[in-house]
């Protein structure tokens, strides 16, 4: 079962309550996660280097995740997205934008890691990184950030 399917099952299995409430917290963050969200206006701003299609909203959500924000699913609130296209159905200009934004993403991730003193799990696992000046944590029990995104 995919993470998305399990998350939908959790949402569907919530009590049949007409009041808006938190169904569950998103505990398995995945890169390119792109939720519609409600927040205060102090979240990290959208990075305007990303244009058009691809990596626009999810780059902001990724920075929010690295910064330590959590995401909670509201119920019975839902959103439907009509008109999803397969890669072959996309117009060529859309793929050009996506490819351009994909190239920007590596630099963006490095900048976000430095800003929040976040060390990616692969670098930490290599044992070659000095973590004494960071407040980042992974499953090794260090203090700080409790989540590790999937690449």
């Amino acid at each position: 079962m995919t993470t998305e399917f399990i998350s939908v099952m959790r949402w569907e299995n919530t009590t049949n309550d007409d009041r808006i409430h938190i169904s569950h917290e998103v505990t398995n963050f995945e890169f390119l996660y792109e939720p519609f969200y409600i927040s205060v206006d102090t979240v990290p701003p959208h990075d305007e280097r990303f244009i058009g299609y691809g990596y626009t909203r999810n780059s902001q959500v990724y920075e929010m995740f690295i910064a330590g924000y959590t995401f909670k699913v509201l119920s019975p609130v839902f959103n439907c997205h009509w008109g999803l296209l397969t890669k072959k159905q996309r117009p060529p200009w859309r793929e050009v934008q996506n490819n351009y934004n994909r190239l920007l993403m590596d630099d963006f991730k490095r900048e976000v890691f430095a800003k929040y003193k976040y060390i990616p799990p692969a670098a930490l696992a290599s044992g070659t990184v000095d973590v004494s000046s960071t407040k980042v944590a992974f499953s090794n029990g260090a203090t700080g950030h409790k989540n590790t995104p999937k690449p």
Side-chain angles (χ1 to χ4, degrees):
M1 273 191 259
T2 66
T3 304
E4 293 84 9
F5 183 73
I6 292 169
S7 187
V8 169
M9 285 177 40
R10 288 166 101 186
W11 178 76
E12 287 178 336
N13 289 329
T14 60
T15 58
N16 192 7
D17 188 349
D18 289 338
R19 294 175 301 122
I20 295 176
H21 63 280
I22 295 172
S23 164
H24 61 281
E25 185 172 319
V26 176
T27 57
N28 191 17
F29 184 90
E30 295 187 23
F31 186 64
L32 300 182
Y33 178 56
E34 193 173 84
F36 288 92
Y37 63 88
I38 301 168
S39 72
V40 296
D41 65 356
T42 57
V43 297
H46 169 73
D47 191 310
E48 294 183 8
R49 288 177 290 183
F50 297 97
I51 58 168
Y53 180 81
Y55 298 91
T56 49
R57 287 189 309 253
N58 42 30
S59 59
Q60 181 185 33
V61 170
Y62 188 71
E63 181 171 355
M64 290 168 61
F65 170 75
I66 297 298
Y69 286 81
T70 58
F71 300 92
K72 298 176 181 5
V73 177
L74 296 178
S75 188
V77 178
F78 65 93
N79 181 38
C80 294
H81 189 298
W82 298 105
L84 292 175
L85 301 174
T86 65
K87 192 169 185 174
K88 286 184 177 185
Q89 294 172 317
R90 293 181 196 153
W93 58 264
R94 199 171 189 189
E95 195 58 28
V96 169
Q97 288 178 339
N98 199 3
N99 289 335
Y100 174 77
N101 289 338
R102 187 178 299 115
L103 293 173
L104 294 175
M105 194 63 184
D106 284 340
D107 287 339
F108 173 78
K109 285 169 64 175
R110 280 191 290 276
E111 292 166 12
V112 168
F113 293 164
K115 180 178 180 180
Y116 297 101
K117 298 182 179 178
Y118 182 89
I119 300 173
L124 189 63
S126 72
T128 61
V129 177
D130 176 14
V131 295
S132 61
S133 64
T134 185
K135 57 186 175 192
V136 176
F138 301 97
S139 58
N140 69 353
T143 60
H145 203 286
K146 66 177 180 170
N147 298 311
T148 303
K150 292 182 179 179

